[in-house]
Amino acid sequence: MADTMTIKLVFSGGLELLFGNERNQSVLIPPLVPSDNSTHSSPSSSPSTPSSHNDIPSTGETKAADLEYLIYHLRDHLLKERPELFMENGTIRPGILVLINNTDWELEGEGSYQLCNNDEIVFISTLHGG
Amino acid sequence: MSSCGNPATEEQALMPRRLKFGKSKDCVRCRLKPGNIVIRHAVYCKECFTPIVDMKFRKALEPSVNARAGTSKRPKLKASGNLCLAFSGGLGSSITLDIVHNTYFSSRPPLDDLGKPRGGTNHPRNVSVWPSCLVCYVEVCGAFAGMHDRTEDIRSVVERYPSFEFVPLRIEDAFDGSWWTKVSGSNITPQVWLELSKEGLITDGLHVASKVTDLTPVEAMRSYLSSLPTQTAISSALQNLTRVLILHTAHSRGSSHLLFGSSLTSISISLLSSISQGGGYAIREELQEEWAPVAASGSKPNNVLRVIRPLRDVTAKECAIYAWWNNISVVGRDKQRRAILGIAALTKNFVVGLEKDYPSTVSTIARTCEKLEPKDVPSGQCRLCKRPMQSAIQEWKDRISIRSYSDDKLAADLAHIPSPCRGNLDTRTPPQVPPLLALTDFLCYSCHTTLTSRSSRGVKQSAPGVSSATPLPIWVADRGLHEDGLIGDGTRRKIPKEEMLDIVANFLINDQELRGMRYLQRFL
């Protein structure tokens, strides 16, 4: 079984205010996640639970952990307030720029980009205007 | 979902998602490195991206630097006054601050192999284009209860650029006579007040009054904002107050150029928002303008201030990436400020969503507006927003609106409405309206709408003890509004010289006081 992946996160442009004012964070993501992006059995959400939570979930289909799942995970486990300012219609809210290892996520397939260990994902809000 | 009936197709086939960039993921500029960012379907690498934004900035700014265009294709840049930057702490103005410093005020220009400043004779870094630079910031916490004062946070950002002078302002300065004296040189400017209805809102007639009060500037500003009819009006009023404060400050400090950090996205938002509130006449001024305070009759014309938005070709996405890759810190805005509802906020949500899916359409909004201009010559400058004003606004409003229900046919049409519901419909013949409504002829259509347009949800409930009048920004009374006799009972009259002397008597120094001051000067 592949190990859990460490994903480094950076929030900028005021987005850090929604995540407890912490610009730099990291999360642990399993290699396989539910296809419906359900985040109930995520290892980084409950560190005190037994290691069996790293196993494949027993219900539903699975997929390789991708950026779409990461966004759901951040909304459900790291976001402190105002989820509607982060996610909209199942994806990142318009006006928030996503960089995967310093590259625009539009070049990497957006939500379908498959996460790798030690990836750095940067979320920048462009809504501060002039 | 119904089938098209074609047996050759797969029933569950989905339309492939359209790529947001061209065929190749390599940089379109250098064609050597893989791309890092997609800007309107074009792919750029990190190294090529920053110079592109710098070039867009300079192309938008430099043609307007010299007072006269001249005949040279690449003239030496030399401005007639100093530079003023309007800084909000947002993304665009933070980038503007950084680019202006690095391009025009850096004291250590890069050198070539011979030890000379790099860039050739006409390169802006080798010449002092502007002798100095002011950075104006307007603190708005006075308008919102509980908002944090960010003046010192902003000061710490500006202090990282030692060539810049920080000029902090406050939104309530618009109601402060001492600030107006500093920027205009006028010692005596009476406060103009607008009469309010029983609901505490500004009346359609815009009747002005003269009042002496001990309200502080903050209290006067809050009274003004609370008398506005909608959230849209409050948002619009704050934008106008901020802009006019900066305009007057920049002009009074000898600036020849004033830069705003509005990105292409912000400009598109403000254009749509302004047009939807009746500001179409000043659409060109939203993009770029040459502004000067209207001079009093008999005095020489004021120097012109060129207001430029050098990021007008740079989208919000490009600004965000530029700030990230160049380590430009952005202070940002308070959450309460961003939560203001109204047309401006709704337009912003719409345009930002448009930029995500159809990025080229945001540019189309600005480009289309650039081609528009009003048909006729302005009849003057609006006293409230200081923008060009069209003529005959009141006549046009009279033609398109119902002013009373006294018309016989209209009264017959309203007969089907139950009596209890007809309480607000006054079908009596209205009293004779004075031929000249006090402030109407001095406001543009947009400002008139801001002050009087009611919400479709009905009027707000008035608080107990609501005031009968509200103060207007101090500049409304400039250049003789009082002298024209508009302050009083709403009718025009010429104030006799003796009456004018009575009004200003308390401000005049008599001979005895003058002798006393001269005596004290000997000891200083």
Side-chain angles (χ1 to χ4, degrees):
Chain A
M1 169 59 73
D3 291 335
T4 309
M5 298 181 289
T6 300
I7 307 296
K8 289 176 279 189
L9 304 169
V10 182
F11 302 103
S12 179
L15 210 54
E16 62 272 24
L17 296 172
L18 303 182
F19 291 90
N21 224 7
E22 292 186 36
R23 271 176 57 98
N24 298 288
Q25 303 189 39
S26 65
V27 291
L28 300 174
I29 300 293
L32 291 173
V33 296
S35 296
D36 60 356
N37 299 309
S38 167
T39 62
H40 293 308
S41 57
S42 169
S44 61
S45 64
S46 50
S48 60
T49 52
S51 59
S52 61
H53 275 258
N54 287 337
D55 295 339
I56 300 170
S58 58
T59 57
E61 296 180 356
T62 60
K63 62 174 180 177
D66 56 12
L67 199 51
E68 182 186 28
Y69 174 81
L70 177 67
I71 292 169
Y72 276 91
H73 178 88
L74 296 181
R75 182 198 67 180
D76 294 340
H77 299 294
L78 254 69
L79 197 66
K80 304 296 185 213
E81 56 177 325
R82 307 290 300 276
E84 72 277 10
L85 296 184
F86 182 67
M87 268 191 80
E88 189 177 290
N89 295 330
T91 185
I92 206 82
R93 185 188 177 210
I96 297 178
L97 186 58
V98 183
L99 296 179
I100 304 170
N101 300 323
N102 234 5
T103 300
D104 192 349
W105 78 329
E106 291 179 9
L107 287 168
E108 303 285 10
E110 296 188 15
S112 59
Y113 168 80
Q114 291 187 8
L115 297 171
C116 303
N117 193 29
N118 290 324
D119 272 347
E120 182 185 66
I121 313 295
V122 179
F123 296 92
I124 307 172
S125 172
T126 65
L127 299 172
H128 279 296
Chain B
M1 193 178 298
S2 58
S3 167
C4 66
N6 185 350
T9 60
E10 299 175 25
E11 286 198 8
Q12 301 301 323
L14 293 174
M15 184 173 168
R17 190 173 175 82
R18 176 172 50 90
L19 285 176
K20 288 191 176 181
F21 51 94
K23 294 178 184 175
S24 171
K25 289 188 182 181
D26 292 334
C27 176
V28 298
R29 190 167 181 254
C30 65
R31 300 189 186 277
L32 298 172
K33 298 174 189 168
N36 293 105
I37 190 74
V38 179
I39 303 296
R40 284 184 267 174
H41 305 286
V43 180
Y44 298 101
C45 65
K46 183 178 174 182
E47 288 72 24
C48 289
F49 173 75
T50 296
I52 286 173
V53 175
D54 289 339
M55 184 53 61
K56 284 185 188 179
F57 186 96
R58 289 176 52 194
K59 278 181 74 174
L61 172 60
E62 289 180 1
S64 304
V65 169
N66 291 345
R68 290 186 180 77
T71 54
S72 169
K73 285 186 180 177
R74 297 183 66 183
K76 204 168 189 178
L77 298 176
K78 190 65 180 174
S80 57
N82 61 32
L83 178 65
C84 182
L85 304 181
F87 187 67
S88 66
L91 184 58
S93 52
S94 301
I95 289 172
T96 300
L97 207 67
D98 197 73
I99 295 179
V100 165
H101 178 265
N102 293 340
T103 309
Y104 304 105
F105 289 90
S106 176
S107 59
R108 292 188 297 276
L111 304 177
D112 60 11
D113 294 337
L114 300 176
K116 291 181 182 175
R118 197 179 73 195
T121 308
N122 287 336
H123 199 283
R125 280 176 290 184
N126 299 334
V127 176
S128 176
V129 180
W130 289 278
S132 61
C133 178
L134 315 171
V135 178
C136 280
Y137 167 70
V138 181
E139 176 56 57
V140 297
C141 70
F144 302 98
M147 182 183 270
H148 169 65
D149 188 331
R150 300 184 312 138
T151 305
E152 294 312 309
D153 296 336
I154 300 293
R155 185 192 301 273
S156 63
V157 170
V158 177
E159 281 176 352
R160 293 176 204 161
Y161 304 93
S163 310
F164 295 165
E165 177 188 352
F166 182 51
V167 180
L169 301 169
R170 304 190 73 83
I171 194 76
E172 55 266 27
D173 287 344
F175 299 83
D176 188 352
S178 59
W179 170 81
W180 181 245
T181 300
K182 206 164 43 172
V183 299
S184 70
S186 304
N187 288 324
I188 302 164
T189 302
Q191 186 85 50
V192 176
W193 292 66
L194 272 179
E195 291 179 354
L196 299 178
S197 65
K198 58 182 179 181
E199 295 94 3
L201 299 176
I202 298 171
T203 58
D204 288 345
L206 296 178
H207 296 292
V208 294
S210 176
K211 279 179 69 171
V212 177
T213 179
D214 56 357
L215 283 184
T216 64
V218 174
E219 290 167 345
M221 176 199 57
R222 287 180 178 170
S223 169
Y224 171 63
L225 293 178
S226 66
S227 69
L228 295 174
T230 59
Q231 285 290 336
T232 296
I234 293 174
S235 172
S236 203
L238 286 170
Q239 286 178 358
N240 279 336
L241 291 177
T242 302
R243 184 175 49 79
V244 179
L245 280 170
I246 293 175
L247 281 174
H248 278 291
T249 301
H251 190 270
S252 69
R253 299 290 295 260
S255 298
S256 57
H257 295 82
L258 168 61
L259 306 188
F260 284 94
S262 311
S263 64
L264 174 60
T265 311
S266 296
I267 288 173
S268 299
I269 293 167
S270 68
L271 283 168
L272 287 182
S273 174
S274 171
I275 290 169
S276 65
Q277 296 174 62
Y281 194 81
I283 201 170
R284 295 181 74 85
E285 281 69 25
E286 282 284 343
L287 293 159
Q288 187 163 326
E289 64 179 310
E290 292 189 354
W291 182 86
V294 178
S297 57
S299 61
K300 66 174 184 178
N302 287 309
N303 294 330
V304 163
L305 175 68
R306 285 183 174 170
V307 183
I308 302 165
R309 291 165 174 83
L311 291 176
R312 64 179 186 223
D313 296 319
V314 183
T315 62
K317 179 178 179 180
E318 293 172 82
C319 289
I321 286 287
Y322 186 96
W324 176 251
W325 281 341
N326 290 279
N327 297 315
I328 298 172
S329 63
V330 178
V331 176
R333 292 185 189 165
D334 193 276
K335 279 189 291 185
Q336 282 186 349
R337 177 98 163 92
R338 292 203 305 269
I340 292 177
L341 300 176
I343 289 178
L346 295 171
T347 309
K348 183 173 185 175
N349 287 341
F350 168 70
V351 174
V352 169
L354 205 63
E355 188 176 16
K356 180 185 177 187
D357 294 326
Y358 305 99
S360 299
T361 52
V362 176
S363 169
T364 302
I365 295 170
R367 298 291 163 260
T368 304
C369 290
E370 274 180 17
K371 301 173 188 174
L372 302 175
E373 63 178 37
K375 273 196 304 186
D376 53 349
V377 177
S379 66
Q381 189 181 77
C382 173
R383 282 185 174 269
L384 194 54
C385 70
K386 300 297 180 179
R387 280 190 162 161
M389 182 176 69
Q390 64 271 51
S391 57
I393 297 170
Q394 195 57 34
E395 287 81 355
W396 179 74
K397 284 172 73 75
D398 286 344
R399 285 200 304 273
I400 66 168
S401 56
I402 297 173
R403 290 286 165 174
S404 75
Y405 298 102
S406 62
D407 182 77
D408 292 338
K409 182 178 182 307
L410 189 58
D413 288 343
L414 297 174
H416 68 282
I417 297 177
S419 300
C421 301
R422 263 190 274 168
N424 290 335
L425 303 176
D426 185 358
T427 56
R428 294 170 300 174
T429 303
Q432 188 67 25
V433 177
L436 293 170
L437 298 176
L439 200 59
T440 309
D441 293 339
F442 299 90
L443 297 181
C444 66
Y445 178 70
S446 177
C447 286
H448 196 278
T449 305
T450 296
L451 295 178
T452 59
S453 179
R454 301 287 190 262
S455 167
S456 59
R457 296 173 190 171
V459 297
K460 62 182 182 184
Q461 298 300 318
S462 61
V466 67
S467 171
S468 61
T470 184
L472 290 177
I474 195 76
W475 52 74
V476 174
D478 188 33
R479 287 180 304 107
L481 184 65
H482 192 273
E483 290 171 2
D484 284 344
L486 289 175
I487 297 178
D489 59 1
T491 56
R492 284 180 177 260
R493 67 181 182 92
K494 188 76 177 172
I495 300 180
K497 190 175 178 181
E498 295 75 17
E499 192 175 329
M500 275 200 270
L501 278 173
D502 287 340
I503 292 169
V504 301
N506 289 335
F507 300 93
L508 296 175
I509 302 175
N510 57 35
D511 290 339
Q512 189 177 1
E513 290 170 344
L514 188 60
R515 281 198 293 273
M517 286 170 60
R518 284 178 179 160
Y519 177 76
L520 286 172
Q521 276 181 341
R522 295 180 191 173
F523 301 96
L524 294 175

